[in-house]
Amino acid sequence: MIKKFIDKLFGKSDGTQPGATRAKKSPFGQRQDVGVKEHGIDVKLVDDRAMDVVHTLQDAGYEAYIVGGAVRDLLVGLRPKDFDVATDATPEQVKSLFRRAFIIGRRFRIVHVIYGRGREHEVIEVSTFRAHLDSSLAEQVGGNERTSKSELAGMKHAVDASGRVLRDNVWGPIEQDAARRDFTINAMYYDPETQVVVDYHNGIKDAKKKIIRMIGNPALRYREDPVRIIRAVRFAAKLSALGFKFEDKTVAPLREMKGLLADVPQSRLFDEMLKLLQTGHALASIAQLKFLGLGTGIYPLLDVVVENADEPFLKLALQDTDRRVGEGKPVAPSFLLSCVLWSDVREGWERRQKRGEHLMPALQDAIDDAFNAKIGDVSGRGKLGTDMREIWTMQPRFEKRVGSAPYSLLEQPRFRAGFDFLRLRAQTGEIDTELAEWWEKFSTAYDDERHAMIEEARQAQLQKPQAPRVRVKRPDAEAGAGHTGHAERGAPDGADASAEQGDAAPAKKRRRRRKPTNRGGAGGEGAGGDAPSPSTDTASNS
């Protein structure tokens, strides 16, 4: 009995051969250094800026690896979109090595190293190896992820009563950092200098077997961070085309633990929803949500996407987004969300116009209703909401193809997004394809060609029969109409009767006095030379 205890203490085998030993199994996995012959990663697929970050950190004496989804994608032969780096340097030490680096985050402090400027800039995210601490050893606080900054002040590792991690800024060795990551295929570390992959949890084997497996107890890991539920769906959607499938234990708790997402801040859920829809696998993500029974209840706006995904307009928009991502082209969240809510906006717009409301006010009111009903607090996200409104309010302006209106519309910063939206409407038969073709040609034509196109459109408009303008009276105006009738103006008897029969002479129009304008210029609004009409001004300010 004592001998067995001593053998167990020193890791000796209880086999028949004396002195036989076995390696002690670590709770953080067993390190494997895998060479290029086995993993087959092409180092040429590694981004130069990620290489520069790793090289700079290693030259300064720190460990540094490309980590996470980038390694997974490299293993299966995909070119990663984003590159993350993990190191044993603290955020402050990382920041000191780069000219343009910023420490961000409160729950998890990381460093963004920025290369380039404007739309062409790239961010390399650098995180410090974190220690794997049991939730029972962390400081527990009340509330959830919305817990105030002051309540978490001074804490490095904090959880709420359910075990959800609220703050995790405890640094540790690489093997512990690997254990606190979510899926085995995301817990590998690649050194592009030596071309060695460091693997603690058989991630390479799972990648070859095409298995998505959670590290540790799946239910506990989902409880630590419920957003992992959405991440699991995203990975499955991205890798399903390559034949990847969930391990049974990993997928089993997903549906029953969906309720944990209710305590996650809406802003974080919104960002995760965009990742589902804008990483090039939107349609596959929706299919996975339905297959896993997660089609409703994750996020209200995502519910709308899943519900309307089979509608021709939205389905085409999602396909177009996947195509653009696949071609390496940028996609704007405002454009996709404009497509998601367009059916609500269009129906409200048409309903108001049938009641006699004017074109632009009816559209603005329909937009407000859609925001209030389907987006809620996200409508206060500043530029996102402004861009969505601009895309929608451009649509009636595309109908105006005379005077200076086409030139002023072409100069709008969001013209391309508005035109792409118009093109989708034409492809689904909502509007005449001739209109989209006209604007595509106009946007790429030379000035003389544009002038000729506008003149042609003006002549075509003159040849069309003009529908009589119907003045829509407000109820209060109709109530007081009896006091300003023909009798008060001295109209002859029977004028009302003849008006009902359509024989009354049309009312004389009051001539509007025009303000004097400076005609010395050469058409300041564009080659058309016409000043914009009041309706054009209204649209451009909307």
Side-chain angles (χ1 to χ4, degrees), residues 366-413:
I367 291 172
D368 288 340
D369 285 352
F371 266 107
N372 294 334
K374 298 294 175 64
I375 294 188
D377 63 345
V378 179
S379 62
R381 283 179 160 256
K383 190 176 184 304
L384 175 67
T386 301
D387 288 350
M388 292 171 66
R389 289 176 182 273
E390 191 170 352
I391 290 171
W392 287 325
T393 53
M394 273 188 195
Q395 301 311 302
R397 296 179 63 190
F398 282 111
E399 302 285 347
K400 300 175 183 179
R401 292 181 281 174
V402 296
S404 62
Y407 291 100
S408 62
L409 186 56
L410 198 62
E411 292 171 358
Q412 295 296 313

Side-chain angles (χ1 to χ4, degrees), residues 166-481:
L166 303 182
R167 175 165 288 189
D168 183 11
N169 291 311
V170 183
W171 319 132
I174 184 174
E175 62 268 18
Q176 294 188 27
D177 185 76
R180 59 165 290 278
R181 294 182 179 270
D182 44 22
F183 302 98
T184 59
I185 56 176
N186 290 339
M188 294 174 286
Y189 302 76
Y190 176 58
D191 183 351
E193 300 285 342
T194 62
Q195 297 191 49
V196 168
V197 172
V198 179
D199 183 9
Y200 284 90
H201 299 280
N202 296 316
I204 290 180
K205 288 183 179 179
D206 283 347
K208 289 181 177 180
K209 293 179 180 178
K210 300 182 178 180
I211 295 174
I212 302 174
R213 187 196 313 271
M214 179 69 75
I215 298 172
N217 184 319
L220 179 61
R221 303 309 303 278
Y222 292 137
R223 192 173 296 280
E224 287 176 350
D225 186 2
V227 168
R228 285 175 176 150
I229 296 171
I230 305 177
R231 285 166 56 85
V233 174
R234 179 155 53 89
F235 295 146
K238 180 176 182 176
L239 300 173
S240 60
L242 300 175
F244 277 74
K245 294 183 179 180
F246 280 112
E247 178 209 28
D248 291 341
K249 292 180 181 179
T250 298
V251 74
L254 282 176
R255 185 183 301 183
E256 64 186 62
M257 304 198 79
K258 180 179 65 174
L260 295 172
L261 291 166
D263 288 330
V264 176
Q266 293 288 295
S267 59
R268 193 169 177 220
L269 290 177
F270 179 81
D271 292 338
E272 289 296 328
M273 178 197 70
L274 290 182
K275 290 178 184 178
L276 273 180
L277 301 178
Q278 290 194 286
T279 51
H281 308 88
L283 292 173
S285 296
I286 292 169
Q288 282 290 332
L289 287 169
K290 292 179 178 179
F291 175 73
L292 296 171
L294 303 173
T296 59
I298 290 181
Y299 186 69
L301 198 54
L302 185 59
D303 292 350
V304 177
V305 177
V306 176
E307 181 183 352
N308 299 333
D310 292 329
E311 291 185 1
F313 182 83
L314 182 54
K315 187 174 183 178
L316 187 61
L318 294 170
Q319 289 174 340
D320 196 55
T321 299
D322 287 350
R323 176 187 60 80
R324 288 182 64 86
V325 173
E327 294 174 356
K329 296 178 179 178
V331 290
S334 57
F335 180 84
L336 184 57
L337 294 182
S338 298
C339 296
V340 170
L341 293 181
W342 176 238
S343 61
D344 295 84
V345 172
R346 184 184 61 234
E347 289 171 7
W349 188 23
E350 292 173 349
R351 189 166 57 249
R352 284 171 170 79
Q353 288 186 88
K354 288 179 181 178
R355 292 202 302 256
E357 295 184 28
H358 291 291
L359 190 73
M360 291 306 295
L363 179 56
Q364 293 284 6
D365 288 345
I367 291 172
D368 288 340
D369 285 352
F371 266 107
N372 294 334
K374 298 294 175 64
I375 294 188
D377 63 345
V378 179
S379 62
R381 283 179 160 256
K383 190 176 184 304
L384 175 67
T386 301
D387 288 350
M388 292 171 66
R389 289 176 182 273
E390 191 170 352
I391 290 171
W392 287 325
T393 53
M394 273 188 195
Q395 301 311 302
R397 296 179 63 190
F398 282 111
E399 302 285 347
K400 300 175 183 179
R401 292 181 281 174
V402 296
S404 62
Y407 291 100
S408 62
L409 186 56
L410 198 62
E411 292 171 358
Q412 295 296 313
R414 300 288 299 163
F415 169 80
R416 188 67 208 182
F419 168 72
D420 287 342
F421 195 91
L422 180 81
R423 178 175 53 81
L424 290 178
R425 293 175 64 203
Q427 289 178 337
T428 54
E430 185 181 322
I431 59 170
D432 193 341
T433 56
E434 185 271 335
L435 182 63
E437 291 169 355
W438 189 94
W439 276 100
E440 184 170 14
K441 182 179 179 182
F442 184 81
S443 64
T444 58
Y446 291 106
D447 286 345
D448 55 344
E449 293 176 310
R450 289 176 178 174
H451 183 77
M453 291 176 68
I454 291 175
E455 179 60 24
E456 184 180 350
R458 189 179 73 85
Q459 293 296 333
Q461 182 174 305
L462 291 174
Q463 293 174 7
K464 288 183 179 179
Q466 300 296 320
R469 298 183 63 180
V470 179
R471 184 178 179 85
V472 179
K473 293 184 178 181
R474 294 177 300 178
D476 57 343
E478 292 175 355

